Amino acid sequence: MARVWYFASRPTGIPTESNFQLRDVDLPTLSSGEVRVRNRWLSVDPYMRLRMLNINRPDYLPYRIGEPLHGGAVGKVIESQASEFAVGDRVIHSFGWRDEWVCPASALKVLPARDLPEQLFLGILGMPGLTAYVGLMHVSEIKPGETLFVSAAAGAVGSTVVQIAKLMGLTVIGSAGGIAKCEFVRSIGADAAIDYKTPGTMIDKLAAATPQGIDVYFDNVGGNHLDAALANARNRARFAMCGMISDYSSMTSDCLYNLKCIVLAHIRLQGFYSTDFPDRHHEFERDMTQWVRDGMLRIHETIRDGLESTPAALISLLEGFNVGKMLVKL
Ligand SMILES: NC(=O)c1ccc[n+]([C@@H]2O[C@H](COP(=O)([O-])OP(=O)(O)OC[C@H]3O[C@@H](n4cnc5c(N)ncnc54)[C@H](OP(=O)(O)O)[C@@H]3O)[C@@H](O)[C@H]2O)c1
């Protein structure tokens, strides 16, 4: 018997517990080529809110009402009918939101480095870390000495962006909500932190933090953060359009008043997925694993306990209560 979270109803605004339902599910006995996995860590990510929207796009996989929720997870093989996996193997897969599952061996990947804490492969050494790495190295085309602005800089992707950009010799300005988060952003190396929740406009706050303007914007938030970056962009700035969390739960979108700067300042905006650069995965794994082992990247996690807490963890992330990677520990 497994316990699985189902998508019960579509939220308006920030989800509530009523949008989720926890059910007991009978699991089958294993067929040839199948593996039984007990999950140990569940990833909690903003895209989960995005997948609750009723959008029809080719690359977009919406959650369907009445079906199980999915997400990244790390677990241990507890039974195997597949030659590729043995009992005790630590694996990563996308059958999160549940405690146990039976799946084909092809849906699993063995964790690459046994000596590192396994949950890192859902964070800095996993999808959020990959997003930060490819967004900086291959979308933004960063150069030492440039100035970068990153929004949601205290989060999983943002805090990794701050640290990689500092390793690469950039001046980094990060934005986050609240004094404590801004202190955290400075503590991981940012040259300046902007608290977007204090009075004043983002345009003025960014201009004060970087009077010469920005060369690169790593967008995790969209809305007024994007508008401020456009207004403060130098000529030929590059914008890595990673996410727009201010828009995921909101019933209205911020107006952008500075779109004309895209033309006036020759700005290049590029939307991207973490999966857009498969030929760079090896480079990502090599560099990031080395930097983590050498203590050059600081790791911060916000951990909730127990499968029951998964919806609350997602709600809490959308409300900004996480610092670093949001995880559920089973
Ligand atoms: N393109 C891709 O492949 C890809 C992959 C991973 C993530 N992403 C995107 O990257 C962004 C960050 O993801 P993450 O996993 O690192 O999440 P995260 O930053 O760890 O958590 C989300 C954070 O967003 C901030 N936030 C929420 N609502 C906001 C608002 N209205 N205005 C400003 N900030 C707000 C909150 O921080 P504050 O307290 O600072 O507000 C919250 O802690 C998201 O937009 C996500 O969709 C994209």
Side-chain angles (χ1 to χ4, degrees):
M1 183 82 80
R3 288 182 310 151
V4 182
W5 280 104
Y6 278 68
F7 186 31
S9 58
R10 205 175 297 290
T12 48
I14 300 269
T16 63
E17 300 263 354
S18 67
N19 300 125
F20 307 85
Q21 190 186 38
L22 188 57
R23 295 190 200 164
D24 291 333
V25 175
D26 282 325
L27 295 182
T29 52
L30 296 197
S31 300
S32 172
E34 287 186 334
V35 175
R36 189 184 307 273
V37 176
R38 181 158 303 145
N39 284 338
R40 291 160 62 92
W41 294 91
L42 307 180
S43 184
V44 179
D45 298 277
Y47 75 76
M48 293 167 171
R49 176 63 185 93
L50 206 47
R51 286 180 69 179
M52 292 174 183
L53 297 176
N54 196 11
I55 299 175
N56 184 14
R57 292 202 61 84
D59 283 349
Y60 172 74
L61 291 171
Y63 292 136
R64 293 181 194 286
I65 290 165
E67 292 192 1
L69 291 152
H70 290 265
V74 159
K76 255 194 178 169
V77 172
I78 54 169
E79 195 185 343
S80 177
Q81 287 292 336
S83 55
E84 307 93 300
F85 293 99
V87 170
D89 281 349
R90 298 189 309 169
V91 290
I92 185 162
H93 57 88
S94 57
F95 298 104
W97 289 89
R98 65 200 80 191
D99 54 6
E100 200 174 303
W101 206 237
V102 167
C103 57
S106 58
L108 306 174
K109 195 181 151 204
V110 175
L111 290 192
R114 288 193 71 87
D115 59 315
L116 294 168
E118 57 194 6
Q119 75 276 17
L120 297 192
F121 295 92
L122 297 174
I124 203 158
L125 297 178
M127 183 276 285
L130 175 66
T131 309
Y133 185 91
V134 297
L136 281 176
M137 305 300 215
H138 303 297
V139 178
S140 310
E141 296 174 356
I142 51 173
K143 297 178 223 30
E146 289 190 323
T147 298
L148 172 138
F149 170 46
V150 53
S151 48
V157 174
S159 62
T160 311
V161 168
V162 169
Q163 298 185 78
I164 299 175
K166 286 311 296 176
L167 286 178
M168 296 295 121
L170 280 81
T171 298
V172 176
I173 293 121
S175 65
I179 296 169
K181 281 199 173 185
C182 285
E183 269 171 21
F184 169 73
V185 170
R186 279 187 289 268
S187 77
I188 55 171
D191 300 275
I194 296 171
D195 182 353
Y196 75 87
K197 289 189 172 167
T198 56
T201 68
M202 272 305 291
I203 293 183
D204 290 347
K205 290 177 191 178
L206 185 55
T210 172
Q212 310 301 320
I214 59 170
D215 301 293
V216 177
Y217 175 45
F218 197 107
D219 192 12
N220 289 317
V221 168
N224 63 356
H225 289 62
L226 172 58
D227 210 37
L230 288 168
N232 285 286
R234 282 181 175 161
N235 272 356
R236 308 213 174 272
R238 287 88 63 205
F239 282 32
M241 306 303 295
C242 172
M244 299 196 173
I245 197 165
S246 69
D247 213 23
Y248 298 171
S249 303
S250 163
M251 306 311 292
T252 55
S253 296
D254 283 343
C255 264
L256 297 184
Y257 297 99
N258 291 290
L259 285 172
K260 55 190 168 297
C261 298
I262 298 170
V263 178
L264 299 178
H266 315 262
I267 299 169
R268 174 166 63 74
L269 287 87
Q270 185 179 335
F272 71 101
Y273 284 10
S274 60
T275 48
D276 282 352
F277 302 87
D279 52 333
R280 302 293 185 172
H281 279 208
H282 173 71
E283 184 190 307
F284 156 74
E285 284 179 7
R286 181 200 62 204
D287 288 350
M288 295 288 282
T289 308
Q290 193 63 48
W291 292 335
V292 167
R293 285 207 171 103
D294 292 348
M296 293 160 81
L297 294 176
R298 258 186 64 188
I299 292 148
H300 209 286
E301 295 159 343
T302 301
I303 298 172
R304 300 279 189 261
D305 281 318
L307 181 68
E308 298 80 1
S309 70
T310 316
L314 177 61
I315 294 164
S316 158
L317 168 127
L318 295 168
E319 289 175 337
F321 288 105
N322 64 306
V323 178
K325 176 66 193 158
M326 177 64 102
L327 293 160
V328 172
K329 187 174 193 303
L330 301 190

